[in-house]
Amino acid sequence: MPDRPLRIVHVVGARPNFIKMAPLLAACRAAPAIEPLLVHTGQHYDEAMSGAFFRDLGMPPPDVDLGVGPGSHARQTAGIMTAFEEALDGLRRRPDAVLVVGDVNSTVACGLVAAKAGIPLVHVEAGLRSRDRSMPEEINRIATDAIGDLLFCTERAAVDNLLREGADPDRVFLVGNLLVDALLRYRPRWAESRTLETRGLAARRYAVLTLHRPANVDDPDMLAGLLDAVERVSRELTVVLPAHPRLREALARSGTDERVAAMPGVRLAPPLGYFDFVKLLAEARVCLTDSGGIQEEATVLGVPCLTLRDNTERPVTVESGVNAIVGRDPDRIVEAYREAASRPAPRPCSPPLWDGHAAERIVSILETRLAGASAGAPEREVACLAS
Ligand code: UD1
Ligand code: UDP
């Protein structure tokens, strides 16, 4: 154990970050050798996109709230960098590491600041690659991994991507998936959600849809085509659509909000709290999504997932047989929906180490690998799980 606890700054900014960070923070708080500090960049700020998750997941309020908010990529990333640098400078004790998760603008912004300040950078969910550089997330992933000191991966393909790109194998660890930690940890809470009853839905008699990728919602023609597909599916099965703010804005901008509101088979809803959303997903007949995390949750829950994209950075979800990459062509989406709805539900699949213990593995590696930094002693060796 080091002379003093390792001070690790944990960064969150957007909805999926809060969910992944909750089990990790709990594990850090239980580890005497770690003193976690929580920084919220303010990238997501609505009650339904941020505050509700802190409350439901029992997360402590952030120690520092940068309050940056929305903006173009450059403006938002730069705003977070400036505010985070000031926040780090304002700390009385220099942190032993900065830990970022996922692929959002907050991830790369804070990663860059940490790396340039010479503070060890830990990236959780490293190595995922869609190989589609038109996705802002792909740029964020590549950049963060390139400057990360410890790279924690959710699946084997991510490890392979990093090694192929020249990452030092001694810094790459296959640890499992924090989103799955959350799914299992909070199962008793989401299992008791009454959201189906409240919405008058019966298990397996509806589909869940989420859409928020810029390539899908910001282009009015693409959005119109996807809505055609949704309308056709909704004539056969009720579609519940908890709308991300980006989708809401895109519907309003393109004047299609009234069209969606008028679709009798579509239930438009605000973004849902985590417990209600997972319950809704777990009981769905099928899920249509362009989310990253929902592909993983559907895999573990065994809910047929149709990914409305041309690629995925999470290939293990496809190898599991639960997730299919169906693209954005309306005919293809309707056909894929009919195929999925006509088959028995796939078996839930837990890829290697998606067992609810990723947070503990991360904490144990942090304790060992950062101990030298805190005590001024050389780093001790641990077995690299990637090898
Ligand atoms: C961001 C991430 C994306 C992630 C998603 C999770 C980047 C580049 N993108 O996308 O990878 O999948 O979060 O949900 O980091 N808005 C609100 N209220 C909020 C938050 C956002 O109204 O609480 C609106 C704002 O007008 C904003 C727009 O949504 O301009 C988009 O928000 P932003 O954080 O820039 O990107 P997301 O689409 O949410
Ligand atoms: N989620 C939620 N409420 C919703 C939609 C999604 O709690 O209305 C959760 C979902 O269970 C998953 C995470 O948000 O854990 C996925 O976030 P999102 O799709 O916004 O981002 P991505 O994973 O694509 O980066």
Side-chain angles (χ1 to χ4, degrees):
M1 172 122 155
D3 303 346
R4 51 179 192 186
L6 293 161
R7 179 174 256 210
I8 303 180
V9 172
H10 293 67
V11 175
V12 289
R15 175 168 69 185
N17 300 164
F18 310 135
I19 300 161
K20 292 164 196 169
M21 204 59 93
L24 183 58
L25 277 179
C28 284
R29 288 211 302 266
I34 294 185
E35 177 198 332
L37 277 182
L38 183 59
V39 173
H40 187 336
T41 65
Q43 178 173 345
H44 285 178
Y45 47 88
D46 285 346
E47 174 61 17
M49 294 296 289
S50 173
F53 292 89
F54 276 78
R55 213 185 28 254
D56 290 351
L57 302 175
M59 288 168 78
D63 297 288
V64 182
D65 195 341
L66 304 179
V68 174
S72 68
H73 283 282
R75 198 171 281 279
Q76 185 177 64
T77 308
I80 295 170
M81 288 182 70
T82 307
F84 187 59
E85 186 176 62
E86 281 168 13
L88 287 183
D89 287 347
L91 292 177
R92 264 183 295 145
R93 200 184 118 199
R94 183 180 162 85
D96 296 300
V98 167
L99 184 147
V100 294
V101 55
D103 55 16
V104 302
N105 283 348
S106 301
T107 309
V108 70
C110 296
L112 279 166
V113 172
K116 291 199 173 182
I119 300 170
L121 174 64
V122 181
H123 186 203
V124 177
E125 205 180 275
L128 296 178
R129 297 288 181 267
S130 65
R131 301 196 167 72
D132 174 359
R133 290 204 181 195
S134 71
M135 291 179 75
E137 294 82 4
E138 184 75 352
I139 308 295
N140 293 344
R141 293 179 198 116
I142 293 169
T144 309
D145 288 339
I147 55 175
D149 295 286
L150 294 177
L151 302 173
F152 291 116
C153 299
T154 50
E155 59 176 282
R156 182 74 223 182
V159 171
D160 294 342
N161 290 334
L162 291 170
L163 299 183
R164 208 176 303 117
E165 290 170 15
D168 177 353
D170 190 44
R171 296 171 185 273
V172 178
F173 302 88
L174 183 63
V175 290
N177 191 328
L178 289 178
L179 207 56
V180 178
D181 283 20
L183 197 68
L184 302 181
R185 178 185 176 91
Y186 297 104
R187 189 188 279 276
R189 299 291 305 280
W190 59 257
E192 68 186 20
S193 159
R194 309 285 298 163
T195 195
L196 266 63
E197 290 82 346
T198 312
R199 294 167 198 280
L201 295 166
R204 314 283 161 216
R205 304 289 292 275
Y206 63 89
V208 175
L209 167 68
T210 78
L211 280 177
H212 74 278
R213 296 260 91 87
N216 282 348
V217 306
D218 290 354
D219 171 352
D221 292 336
M222 181 62 78
L223 182 59
L226 290 170
L227 293 180
D228 286 343
V230 171
E231 185 164 27
R232 287 163 63 190
V233 169
S234 74
R235 288 192 208 118
E236 300 176 26
L237 190 70
T238 298
V239 175
V240 184
L241 169 53
H244 187 282
R246 180 183 284 278
L247 173 63
R248 280 272 181 194
E249 286 173 10
L251 291 172
R253 214 172 34 242
S254 60
T256 41
D257 42 0
E258 287 173 11
R259 180 182 166 203
V260 177
M263 292 179 190
V266 175
R267 306 268 191 93
L268 197 56
L272 301 186
Y274 178 65
F275 300 143
D276 284 349
F277 183 80
V278 174
K279 174 72 173 185
L280 198 69
L281 178 65
E283 302 290 356
R285 179 84 193 85
V286 57
C287 147
L288 299 96
T289 191
D290 60 9
S291 161
I294 294 170
Q295 295 173 58
E296 298 181 331
E297 291 168 338
T299 298
V300 172
L301 294 168
V303 176
C305 182
L306 306 179
T307 294
L308 309 183
R309 293 172 42 189
D310 299 327
N311 50 58
T312 183
E313 57 289 326
R314 294 162 158 91
V316 78
T317 62
V318 176
E319 289 151 21
S320 74
V322 180
N323 185 24
I325 305 303
V326 303
R328 282 88 59 80
D329 174 66
D331 290 339
R332 172 71 195 117
I333 293 170
V334 175
E335 187 191 327
Y337 155 72
R338 289 188 179 136
E339 271 169 33
S342 65
R343 276 200 306 264
R347 290 242 297 274
C349 173
S350 292
L353 303 185
W354 290 22
D355 58 0
H357 298 292
E360 294 155 34
R361 291 186 193 99
I362 291 171
V363 164
S364 147
I365 295 167
L366 291 175
E367 285 175 344
T368 318
R369 295 302 287 260
L370 297 174
S374 175
E379 287 185 4
R380 278 180 288 146
E381 287 305 312
V382 290
C384 174
L385 296 175
S387 55

